[in-house]
Amino acid sequence: MNRTLRKSRFFYLHPCANAGKVEELERLAEAYALYLAVCVSAMLSARRFTVSLSERRVFFPSSETLSSQIAKCAQAHAVEIVFGWAASKYDARLRQEIRSRHKAGEIDDAMRAALSVVGKRCVDEPSGKVTREAIDLYWAWLLDEEIAGRRSTVSPRCGMRMGEMTCVLASDAKTRLTAWWIGFSHLAAGKARICLPLSPSPYAKDAPDLRKGVLARRDDRGRWRFEVLERQEQMVPEEKDGAPRIGVDVGLRALAATSRGDLYGGDVKAEFDARYARLQEVR
C-alpha cells in the first residue's frame, strides 16, 4: 500500500545573494503585507468567515501594486487567516461565552444551538436552524475584544504565500554558488522573474518532490526563510490479521522499553551523561 508523506522543508537565503535583488524581495513583501491587511479588513467588515474562489475577484478590492496572480495568493492567504482566527476563538473563548449566556438565561435553547453551529462550522449564511440573528450576534461577540480577545491582524510572521504561477523553486547541480534557486514575480509588470540563491537544505533532495507553492517570511533572527512541503510516496506493508503487537516507550535511563518488559540502550546512558557534561563545560 502506498502512502503519501508530507514534511516541511526550510531553505534560507544564501549569504551571497545580490543585495539589489534582496531589496526587490523586501519591497514585494511590504506591498504584499499591505494588501493582505486590506483583504483581512474587508472580510471582518463584511463579517465573512470565508470567501469562495468564485467570489474573490468581486469581493476583494483590487491591488494597485501587485500582479493579479500575487493578489490571488494574498486573497487566499487572507481567507486562511480569518477562518483560522475565527475557529480558534470559538474553542478558546466563545464556546464558554455561549454556555455562560445560556446558563444566565440571556439566550434560549434554540439560540444556543444556532450559535454553536455558527462557531463550530463558521457559517456565513442562514440555513436550517441558523438564523441571521444568530450569525449577527455571534459576530458581535467575535469582534468584541473584551469577549473574544484581540481581532485578527496581519503580523510580520504571516509572510507571503506564493503559488506556482508567481514563484518557482528549482535545483541545478551545475551552478557553482549553490544548487538551489528561487524565482519570484517582480513588482513591476512585464519584467522577468528575479532569481535568488538559497542555502541548500540537508533534507530536501530534488525539486520535483516539493509541492508547488512557497511561504516566504523572516525568522526571529531576521533571515529570509522559504518553507515548502515535500511529498514522498512510500510503501507501507499491510497489516496481517492476528499479527503480534508490541508497545515501545522512549526514555532516558533506557533508550527503549517494550511492553514485554525488555530494555534496550541502558549501557549508553553513562556515556551520554559524560558527553553532555562536557558539552555544558564548553558552553
Side-chain angles (χ1 to χ4, degrees):
M1 179 175 63
N2 288 336
R3 178 179 297 176
T4 301
L5 300 180
R6 293 179 173 85
K7 296 183 179 180
S8 296
R9 300 303 187 203
F10 302 146
F11 294 86
Y12 286 93
L13 199 61
H14 197 282
C16 295
N18 181 281
K21 294 183 178 180
V22 176
E23 185 178 345
E24 291 293 338
L25 173 64
E26 293 173 348
R27 289 180 58 241
L28 176 61
E30 182 180 356
Y32 182 99
L34 290 174
Y35 182 63
L36 180 62
V38 169
C39 292
V40 169
S41 179
M43 291 186 65
L44 295 181
S45 298
R47 300 191 172 192
R48 294 288 299 270
F49 292 112
T50 187
V51 180
S52 66
L53 189 61
S54 59
E55 294 180 279
R56 291 174 189 174
R57 184 175 181 181
V58 177
F59 178 83
F60 291 110
S62 59
S63 172
E64 298 180 356
T65 55
L66 301 178
S67 68
S68 60
Q69 292 297 332
I70 298 179
K72 288 180 181 179
C73 292
Q75 292 166 5
H77 197 175
V79 172
E80 292 179 8
I81 290 173
V82 174
F83 187 89
W85 164 77
S88 67
K89 289 299 182 182
Y90 174 75
D91 291 330
R93 297 285 192 96
L94 292 184
R95 176 161 50 187
Q96 184 58 42
E97 185 72 19
I98 294 171
R99 291 176 181 173
S100 300
R101 302 266 183 159
H102 179 261
K103 187 176 181 179
E106 298 181 26
I107 57 175
D108 57 20
D109 293 343
M111 179 58 77
R112 176 187 181 181
L115 290 170
S116 297
V117 172
V118 174
K120 288 179 181 178
R121 303 178 185 176
C122 293
V123 177
D124 279 322
E125 297 295 333
S127 62
K129 297 180 179 180
V130 177
T131 63
R132 171 53 60 185
E133 180 186 4
I135 296 174
D136 290 342
L137 178 58
Y138 188 88
W139 267 103
W141 294 350
L142 186 61
L143 296 176
D144 188 336
E145 295 190 357
E146 292 186 0
I147 296 176
R150 192 173 63 176
R151 294 190 183 188
S152 178
T153 57
V154 176
S155 70
R157 297 254 335 142
C158 291
M160 294 187 293
R161 291 199 179 277
M162 310 294 282
E164 59 182 312
M165 299 296 291
T166 59
C167 181
V168 173
L169 185 67
S171 60
D172 187 354
K174 298 179 181 179
T175 56
R176 294 183 179 180
L177 182 61
T178 179
W180 289 92
W181 296 79
I182 188 168
F184 59 91
S185 297
H186 202 285
L187 265 181
K191 288 193 175 182
R193 284 179 175 168
I194 295 176
C195 291
L196 287 169
L198 303 175
S199 296
S201 168
Y203 303 105
K205 297 179 180 179
D206 197 7
D209 294 334
L210 305 176
R211 286 190 60 186
K212 301 296 188 295
V214 176
L215 174 62
R217 61 183 175 184
R218 289 184 180 274
D219 64 8
D220 295 336
R221 297 170 59 183
R223 300 176 301 172
W224 275 103
R225 186 172 78 175
F226 303 89
E227 304 174 13
V228 295
L229 279 180
E230 183 182 46
R231 293 183 301 181
Q232 291 185 351
E233 295 286 340
Q234 293 190 0
M235 286 292 298
V236 179
E238 295 186 8
E239 182 180 339
K240 298 180 180 179
D241 294 336
R245 297 173 180 269
I246 188 172
V248 180
D249 181 40
V250 179
L252 292 177
R253 294 186 177 277
L255 295 183
T258 71
S259 56
R260 295 183 303 197
D262 299 322
L263 301 177
Y264 299 94
D267 54 336
V268 180
K269 188 175 187 307
E271 183 178 353
F272 175 83
D273 290 343
R275 289 179 178 269
Y276 187 71
R278 174 58 181 158
L279 178 61
Q280 287 181 317
E281 291 177 4
V282 173
R283 285 181 175 175

